Amino acid sequence: MLPSRSALEVLAIDANTVRLRLIEGRVESQVHKQQPNQQFEIRARSMGLGVRGTHFRVRDEDGVLTGEVISGEVVVQRTAQAEPPLVLREGRGAVLLESGPSQAQGLLPAPQLVPETTARNDRTFRFTPVAGAQTYRLQLARDERFLLPVYEQRGPGPSFTVPAELPSGLYQLRLTAFDAARLEGLPGDGTVYLPTVEGGAGGQSTSTALPDGRVEVRWPGIAGQRYTFELSRSPDFAMLLVNEPAVYATGMTVGPFALGGRYHWRARQATPDGAASAATGFGGSFDIPAR
């Protein structure tokens, strides 16, 4: 995973060798166990991190370079020096110093969501504080491996509130804690549902039943702006009943409907390439009476 505000350079790639250089930001990698003739390495500043099959992070943020191993093992070697390498094993990390020895230490455990969090119909995720934690990070993605991250927030905790602009639906959630050395701890992953927030972005989303059985959906967008509109029976939008990629109004009329039940909709601002932006959108649901 390569989040926004991060840059990665490909130095070499073929059947047996993958060599990357982290220019800034952070990269999280999940690498299958390497064969003796295979090499996977990430370089950052004067460090080379050789991977033997692992799930790990390399971060160069706010002037601090760190390596953190979630599972497996990573060997850290200064590229211009012959001193013994630093071996980081599962659950351990280190602030990587360009001069002087780097010391491995245990990573903080993953924050745990408070049980009643998922029962509340709001967008605030509360978690139990981790001893020794200074700050926390929340990430949301559309996939379990976090290859498609859509939202991130960092703060003192012990809760995070997701803004109304993020469309409702199912997301993969990841929570981590940072210690005093600014090492990021082990991730706590789970699946969460973001409920609809009526009136997000300074207006009111409405769903109005019409006499002919159709429903008029309106959202507080900007007329003339291009939106993608989707309608589904499920909150995760796995199967779409309506998929309209170019709506230049702030509303859609859908139906009539043969089946009763709850229907979910979302309208997302389209990016210049025509894709839907997960960061700017509206959503809601409406019920159709059973016949």
Side-chain angles (χ1 to χ4, degrees):
M1 179 181 70
L2 188 70
S4 60
R5 300 185 297 279
S6 299
L8 193 68
E9 178 185 6
V10 177
L11 300 178
I13 185 167
D14 57 35
N16 296 317
T17 302
V18 176
R19 188 175 298 115
L20 310 172
R21 183 169 72 90
L22 179 64
I23 300 172
E24 62 177 340
R26 69 184 191 272
V27 59
E28 182 172 329
S29 301
Q30 298 185 49
V31 182
H32 295 295
K33 185 175 178 60
Q34 302 293 287
Q35 299 302 316
N37 63 334
Q38 292 180 313
Q39 181 187 48
F40 187 101
E41 182 185 48
I42 293 182
R43 295 182 178 179
R45 302 191 197 177
S46 62
M47 304 287 179
L49 291 88
V51 179
R52 298 175 177 173
T54 184
H55 181 186
F56 74 107
R57 294 184 296 253
V58 182
R59 297 185 299 109
D60 191 348
E61 298 178 312
D62 302 322
V64 177
L65 178 64
T66 64
E68 298 135 356
V69 178
I70 299 164
S71 64
E73 186 176 284
V74 170
V75 177
V76 184
Q77 178 73 65
R78 288 197 182 95
T79 55
Q81 299 183 32
E83 64 185 37
L86 171 67
V87 179
L88 296 178
R89 295 183 171 84
E90 183 171 326
R92 298 183 68 81
V95 176
L96 304 178
L97 306 174
E98 296 191 76
S99 62
S102 299
Q103 299 293 328
Q105 64 183 69
L107 300 178
L108 291 178
Q112 301 298 313
L113 285 176
V114 175
E116 59 266 24
T117 290
T118 54
R120 299 172 63 98
N121 191 32
D122 63 21
R123 291 183 167 220
T124 297
F125 297 101
R126 300 162 181 83
F127 52 90
T128 304
V130 174
Q134 305 297 306
T135 59
Y136 300 86
R137 191 198 309 268
L138 173 143
Q139 295 170 278
L140 294 176
R142 287 295 190 183
D143 65 304
E144 293 183 355
R145 298 184 65 187
F146 276 76
L147 300 177
L148 300 171
V150 297
Y151 179 76
E152 179 177 309
Q153 187 178 154
R154 185 168 172 180
S159 66
F160 288 104
T161 299
V162 178
E165 288 76 14
L166 198 65
S168 61
L170 290 173
Y171 291 85
Q172 297 298 316
L173 174 142
R174 174 170 292 173
L175 285 169
T176 52
F178 290 79
D179 63 17
R182 290 190 279 183
L183 287 174
E184 187 172 8
L186 296 173
D189 292 2
T191 302
V192 295
Y193 176 73
L194 291 185
T196 300
V197 177
E198 298 293 341
Q204 182 73 28
S205 298
T206 60
S207 302
T208 304
L210 302 178
D212 60 2
R214 296 185 298 166
V215 174
E216 182 185 46
V217 176
R218 301 198 65 83
W219 57 88
I222 301 174
Q225 169 66 53
R226 181 180 175 182
Y227 295 91
T228 63
F229 179 87
E230 296 172 338
L231 181 72
S232 177
R233 290 295 300 272
S234 59
D236 61 355
F237 292 85
M239 296 185 63
L240 298 179
L241 303 176
V242 176
N243 183 14
E244 177 55 61
V247 178
Y248 290 92
T250 58
M252 278 281 293
T253 300
V254 292
F257 300 92
L259 296 177
R262 175 156 294 186
Y263 291 77
H264 302 267
W265 66 270
R266 63 185 180 188
R268 297 183 290 173
Q269 184 175 320
T271 58
D273 61 2
S277 169
T280 307
F282 311 93
S285 62
F286 55 84
D287 294 313
I288 298 296
R291 297 184 178 179

